[in-house]
């Protein structure tokens, strides 16, 4: 009985405990429902702030409101999300959906490989994939950016505004520009003028005008030229109002040609001619300036109708020729730089805008300069003497030989006329020999002064280059820089004693050296010749000596006359025949017997008179 009573008591106690536990469970369930309801209200309020929640809605009503709010998201929609986790491959982003959205980690890796995202970051994302059944949400931050850029492009285009971009690289026909999206900049729209070096614009930031765009085709066309033209037009109007003669302005080199520089004065172009760049020599403007250089110029003239502006740069400084007379007096020594060489001389720059000419004749006292390059080179600094100055003609004559003593001034004292000198043959020409003396002075032995007696056709027949010879100083012409020498003068002239050795009337013998139509040349000794004129060959009429004689024949003739000054000896053959006739007559007269009649006496007298007459006539001819 006791056992039964105990069992009943235990059962009653267990029943009470179970009831107590059930009450606790119900209380906990009620508390959970309340918390879940509170959380649901918060989530609904967060997702749908426009929906008013009173707190009296049932759990089912709240979940309905929550579900309806989630359905508002669509693929392609841009929303704001918060990073809640950064993984190796994905970044989880809370966009207010019951499941987190995922973004590929590649969208956050920069060029150096760094991951640029952290928990808590907020940014706009675009919903790429929305799978409600699988509760999968794929997001993209890059595409969200592009959507925003397209919206901005539309706003800028509609407002006729501008957009900033970076030229990333060259492409066919133009450039690729990063404006958040890749846009195309045609080459013709990159600048006001054709671009010579297109690579210079790459990686630079500019303002652009949107010419057209097509979101569906992902096509955007930009222009920089439109903005430059508008800016230029504003500058042009301001520049036109400011331009006036003699005004000094700043400009930018726009283009360079061989005849000058085109300068942009601010929407208005002016020409700076090459002759107005500098007072000095300018071979080509590109030697001094490049496209894009800023320069200062002076307005020389302006044609308002044709809008032509002539510019000057050298006019900003005084003309150096106005002070040249004071700076470079005649006879003064100056230093200058060789800037140009011509066949006739060298141009020396004394200062910018002032150049002098050294003629080839003023480069050396003794050398024959054929080209100035034998003495100077371009770029060389040299010393010279001012010989003449004509500032009105902008000419200065210079000389470099004047910086040294003139050897011709002392040569006559060193080698007076009659001095015997010795030197080597430096050159041989058809008219004579050039003998080196000293100080680069050469003496000339004319072909006629080589020998007293020899007939020389060319000096090379007797001498060769490098031979050492002796000669006599014949004449020194300092004015014309000529030094005359003679070789034959080192010996006495054989013609001085010809008259003593070959007396008039003397019978001589010689060898025929030449036959001409007018006579026969006979060599009496080496270098001494006599001429038998054709009229003195025979009493008979001789048409040509060649019909009677040959070169090399030995003949005998009579000396008719001698002219030592002209070096001529006249000979006669027929005079020998006259002498023979006279001898015959004399012998005949001596051997005649006395005449027996007066006729004989008369005959002897006539013969004697004839002999005397012949002798008288012969004496007259000799004289």
């Amino acid at each position: 009985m006791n056992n039964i009573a105990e069992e009943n008591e235990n059962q009653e106690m267990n029943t009470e405990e179970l009831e107590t536990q059930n009450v606790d469970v119900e209380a906990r369930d009620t508390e959970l429902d309340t918390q879940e309801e509170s959380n649901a209200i918060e989530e609904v309020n967060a997702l749908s702030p426009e929906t008013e929640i009173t707190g009296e809605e049932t759990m089912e009503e709240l979940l309905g409101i929550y579900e309806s709010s989630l359905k508002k998201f669509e693929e392609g929609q841009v929303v704001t999300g918060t990073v809640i986790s950064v993984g190796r491959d994905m970044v989880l982003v809370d966009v207010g959906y019951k499941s987190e959205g995922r973004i590929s980690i590649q969208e956050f890796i920069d060029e150096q490989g760094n991951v640029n995202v952290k928990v808590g970051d907020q940014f706009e994302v675009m919903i790429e994939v929305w799978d409600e059944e699988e509760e999968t949400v794929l997001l993209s931050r890059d595409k969200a950016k592009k959507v925003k850029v397209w919206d901005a492009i539309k706003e800028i285009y509609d407002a006729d505004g501008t957009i900033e971009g970076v030229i990333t690289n060259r492409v066919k026909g133009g450039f690729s520009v990063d404006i958040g999206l890749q846009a195309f900049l045609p080459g013709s729209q990159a600048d006001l003028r054709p671009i010579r070096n297109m690579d210079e614009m790459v990686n630079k930031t500019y303002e652009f005008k949107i010419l057209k765009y097509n979101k569906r085709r992902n096509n955007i066309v930009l222009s920089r030229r439109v903005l430059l033209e508008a800016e230029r037009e504003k500058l042009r109007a301001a520049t036109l109002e400011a331009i006036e003669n003699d005004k000094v302005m700043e400009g930018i080199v726009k283009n360079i040609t061989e005849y000058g520089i085109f300068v942009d004065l601010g929407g208005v172009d002016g020409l700076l001619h090459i002759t107005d760049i500098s007072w000095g020599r300018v071979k080509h403007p590109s030697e001094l300036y490049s496209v894009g250089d800023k320069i200062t110029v002076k307005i020389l003239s302006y044609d308002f109708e044709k809008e032509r502006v002539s510019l000057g740069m050298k006019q900003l400084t005084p003309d150096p020729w106005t002070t040249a007379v004071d700076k470079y007096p005649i006879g003064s020594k100056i230093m200058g730089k060789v800037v140009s060489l011509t066949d006739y001389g060298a141009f020396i720059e004394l200062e910018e805008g002032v150049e002098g000419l050294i003629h080839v004749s003023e480069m050396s006292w003794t050398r024959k300069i054929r080209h100035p390059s034998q003495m100077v080179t371009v770029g060389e600094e040299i010393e010279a003497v001012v010989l003449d100055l004509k500032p009105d003609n902008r000419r200065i004559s210079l000389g470099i030989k004047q910086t040294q003593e003139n050897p011709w001034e002392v040569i006559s004292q060193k080698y007076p006329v009659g001095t015997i000198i010795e030197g080597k043959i430096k050159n041989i020409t058809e008219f004579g020999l050039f003998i080196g003396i000293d100080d680069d002075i050469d003496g000339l032995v004319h072909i006629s002064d080589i020998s007293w007696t020899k007939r020389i056709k060319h000096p090379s027949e007797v001498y060769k280059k490098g031979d050492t010879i002796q000669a006599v100083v014949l004449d020194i012409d300092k004015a014309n820089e000529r030094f005359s020498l003679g070789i034959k003068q080192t010996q006495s002239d054989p013609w001085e004693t010809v008259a003593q050795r070959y007396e008039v009337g003397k019978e001589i013998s010689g060898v025929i050296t030449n036959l001409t139509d007018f006579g026969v040349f006979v060599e009496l000794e080496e270098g001494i010749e006599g001429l038998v004129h054709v009229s003195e060959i025979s009493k008979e009429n001789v048409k040509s000596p060649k019909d009677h004689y040959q070169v090399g024949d030995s003949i005998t003739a009579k000396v008719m006359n001698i002219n030592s000054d002209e070096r001529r000896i006249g000979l006669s053959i027929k005079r020998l025949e006259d002498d023979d006739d006279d001898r015959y007559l004399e012998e005949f007269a001596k051997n005649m017997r006395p005449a027996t009649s007066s006729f004989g006496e008369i005959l002897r007298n006539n013969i004697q008179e004839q002999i005397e007459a012949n002798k008288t006539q012969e004496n007259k001819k000799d004289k």
Side-chain angles (χ1 to χ4, degrees):
M1 287 290 293
N2 292 330
N3 290 333
I4 294 172
E6 288 178 359
E7 288 178 356
N8 291 330
E9 184 178 356
N10 288 335
Q11 287 178 353
E12 289 178 357
M13 290 179 63
N14 289 334
T15 301
E16 290 179 358
E17 289 177 358
L18 287 173
E19 289 178 354
T20 303
Q21 289 178 356
N22 288 333
V23 171
D24 293 339
V25 169
E26 289 178 359
R28 284 198 299 271
D29 290 341
T30 301
E31 183 178 355
L32 288 174
D33 290 341
T34 303
Q35 183 65 38
E36 182 177 353
E37 182 179 355
S38 176
N39 291 339
I41 292 172
E42 290 180 2
E43 291 184 8
V44 171
N45 286 333
L47 294 174
S48 301
E50 69 280 3
T51 304
E52 184 179 353
I53 305 299
T54 62
E56 296 179 358
E57 292 82 357
T58 64
M59 189 64 173
E60 290 76 7
E61 290 175 339
L62 289 174
L63 291 175
I65 294 172
Y66 178 67
E67 291 292 338
S68 63
S69 65
L70 290 177
K71 290 180 182 179
K72 290 182 181 180
F73 294 104
E74 297 179 357
E75 291 182 0
Q77 184 177 355
V78 176
V79 297
T80 300
T82 303
V83 176
I84 60 175
S85 175
V86 178
R88 176 176 299 178
D89 300 321
M90 291 289 178
V91 175
L92 298 183
V93 180
D94 180 10
V95 292
Y97 186 57
K98 56 187 176 182
S99 295
E100 293 83 2
R102 292 179 297 166
I103 302 176
S104 173
I105 194 70
Q106 296 300 323
E107 292 194 19
F108 301 96
I109 298 177
D110 58 20
E111 294 179 355
Q112 289 73 34
N114 301 318
V115 177
N116 295 320
V117 65
K118 62 182 182 297
V119 175
D121 287 350
Q122 285 189 342
F123 42 74
E124 291 185 332
V125 295
M126 189 185 80
I127 299 174
E128 284 192 283
V129 178
W130 180 278
D131 191 335
E132 192 171 356
E133 294 180 359
E134 297 292 333
E135 295 185 351
T136 300
V137 181
L138 296 181
L139 308 174
S140 173
R141 186 180 68 164
D142 290 344
K143 291 185 177 180
K145 290 181 179 179
K146 291 182 179 180
V147 170
K148 288 295 183 181
V149 173
W150 279 111
D151 293 341
I153 287 173
K154 182 180 184 305
E155 293 178 2
I156 292 171
Y157 181 82
D158 292 341
D160 196 26
T162 62
I163 190 170
E164 188 179 85
V166 179
I167 296 179
T168 56
N169 59 284
R170 290 177 54 186
V171 296
K172 184 178 180 180
F175 301 90
S176 178
V177 183
D178 182 6
I179 57 172
L181 298 172
Q182 288 300 313
F184 176 63
L185 173 65
S188 60
Q189 297 295 322
D191 208 327
L192 291 172
R193 57 185 180 277
I195 302 172
R196 295 182 179 180
N197 187 0
M198 299 181 71
D199 292 331
E200 292 181 351
M201 298 189 68
V202 177
N203 296 325
K204 291 185 178 180
T205 302
Y206 299 99
E207 287 288 329
F208 299 98
K209 191 85 168 179
I210 301 174
L211 294 183
K212 59 181 179 179
Y213 73 96
N214 189 314
K215 184 177 180 180
R216 185 171 58 84
R217 295 183 179 180
N218 198 33
N219 183 18
I220 306 170
V221 179
L222 305 176
S223 173
R224 178 170 172 260
R225 180 174 181 172
V226 172
L227 299 177
L228 295 177
E229 287 177 344
E231 182 181 354
R232 182 179 180 180
E233 195 59 35
K234 293 179 181 178
L235 290 173
R236 180 182 179 84
T239 301
L240 289 175
E241 292 181 1
I243 284 181
E244 59 183 24
N245 290 342
D246 297 328
K247 184 174 183 178
V248 177
M249 302 183 69
E250 286 191 352
I252 299 176
V253 176
K254 184 176 181 181
N255 190 23
I256 299 176
T257 67
E258 61 181 5
Y259 56 86
I261 299 175
F262 286 94
V263 182
D264 185 358
L265 301 174
V268 177
D269 292 343
L271 174 61
L272 175 60
H273 197 270
I274 187 171
T275 57
D276 290 313
I277 294 177
S278 171
W279 291 111
R281 182 188 297 264
V282 179
K283 292 182 179 179
H284 197 282
S286 59
E287 296 178 350
L288 302 175
Y289 301 102
S290 302
V291 173
D293 287 350
K294 290 184 178 180
I295 60 175
T296 303
V297 292
K298 186 176 184 179
I299 307 297
L300 301 183
S301 63
Y302 174 60
D303 188 334
F304 286 91
E305 295 182 358
K306 298 181 180 180
E307 294 188 357
R308 291 181 180 176
V309 183
S310 297
L311 306 175
M313 181 176 287
K314 71 180 185 182
Q315 289 79 4
L316 298 173
T317 58
D319 184 354
W321 281 96
T322 57
T323 58
V325 174
D326 299 328
K327 288 184 178 180
Y328 312 109
I330 295 176
S332 62
K333 288 185 178 181
I334 54 91
M335 292 295 296
K337 183 174 71 173
V338 180
V339 293
S340 178
L341 300 180
T342 66
D343 291 338
Y344 53 86
F347 286 94
I348 313 300
E349 185 181 56
L350 309 184
E351 64 176 278
E352 184 178 347
V354 178
E355 292 182 6
L357 172 65
I358 302 177
H359 195 270
V360 288
S361 62
E362 302 297 341
M363 291 187 171
S364 174
W365 291 113
T366 55
R367 294 176 58 186
K368 300 298 181 184
I369 307 301
R370 296 182 178 179
H371 194 275
S373 58
Q374 296 176 244
M375 297 292 292
V376 297
T377 58
V378 174
E380 180 184 1
E381 292 282 342
I382 64 171
E383 184 182 44
V385 174
V386 178
L387 304 180
D388 190 25
L389 175 62
K390 296 180 180 178
D392 293 338
N393 296 327
R394 308 175 83 85
R395 291 181 181 176
I396 295 181
S397 297
L398 305 173
I400 54 176
K401 70 181 184 181
Q402 288 79 6
T403 60
Q404 301 175 349
E405 186 180 15
N406 183 1
W408 288 97
E409 295 294 334
V410 296
I411 199 71
S412 59
Q413 300 176 6
K414 190 174 182 180
Y415 304 107
V417 174
T419 303
I420 297 178
I421 63 173
E422 187 175 86
K424 288 186 178 181
I425 298 176
K426 296 178 64 176
N427 193 19
I428 298 177
T429 67
E430 61 181 6
F431 55 83
L433 307 169
F434 285 94
I435 313 299
I437 311 301
D438 56 11
D439 294 330
D440 290 329
I441 293 179
D442 294 341
L444 172 63
V445 178
H446 195 269
I447 188 172
S448 63
D449 290 314
I450 293 177
S451 174
W452 290 112
T453 57
K454 290 182 180 179
R455 287 189 176 183
I456 301 173
K457 294 182 179 179
H458 197 282
S460 60
E461 298 174 3
V462 185
Y463 299 100
K464 63 180 182 294
K465 192 174 181 179
D467 286 351
T468 300
I469 63 172
Q470 287 187 337
V472 176
V473 177
L474 302 180
D475 183 46
I476 298 177
D477 186 351
K478 292 188 293 183
N480 296 311
E481 299 181 354
R482 292 177 182 174
F483 200 122
S484 298
L485 303 174
I487 297 175
K488 69 182 183 181
Q489 287 81 1
T490 59
Q491 301 174 349
S492 59
D493 184 359
W495 280 92
E496 293 178 355
T497 59
V498 163
Q500 289 77 31
R501 290 182 284 119
Y502 303 101
E503 297 178 358
V504 175
K506 184 177 180 179
E507 185 177 312
I508 61 172
S509 296
V511 178
I512 297 175
T513 58
N514 192 18
L515 294 172
T516 65
D517 292 337
F518 57 84
V520 180
F521 285 93
V522 181
E523 185 179 49
L524 307 181
E525 61 182 65
E526 185 180 2
I528 304 295
E529 290 182 341
L531 173 64
V532 180
H533 194 269
V534 66
S535 62
E536 297 295 332
I537 293 176
S538 176
K539 292 180 179 180
E540 298 178 0
N541 185 17
V542 177
K543 293 183 178 179
S544 176
K546 296 178 182 179
D547 297 336
H548 301 273
Y549 303 99
Q550 292 182 353
V551 174
D553 290 348
S554 295
I555 63 171
T556 302
K558 184 179 181 180
V559 178
M560 293 175 57
N561 55 70
I562 297 175
N563 188 334
S564 299
D565 294 335
E566 297 182 2
R567 300 177 182 272
R568 293 179 183 178
I569 299 177
L571 304 176
S572 175
I573 298 174
K574 75 176 183 179
R575 299 295 178 91
L576 294 176
E577 296 177 357
D578 290 340
D579 290 345
D580 290 341
D581 291 343
D582 291 342
R583 285 195 297 269
Y584 292 147
L585 288 171
E586 288 178 358
E587 289 178 3
F588 178 75
K590 291 178 181 179
N591 295 329
M592 284 186 65
R593 296 176 180 178
T596 56
S597 64
S598 59
F599 177 76
E601 293 178 1
I602 295 172
L603 179 60
R604 281 197 304 272
N605 293 332
N606 288 337
I607 290 174
Q608 189 65 35
E609 291 177 359
Q610 182 65 42
I611 290 172
E612 295 295 336
N614 287 341
K615 288 182 177 181
T616 302
Q617 185 177 0
E618 183 178 341
N619 289 333
K620 289 181 178 179
K621 289 182 177 179
D622 291 341
K623 292 179 178 178

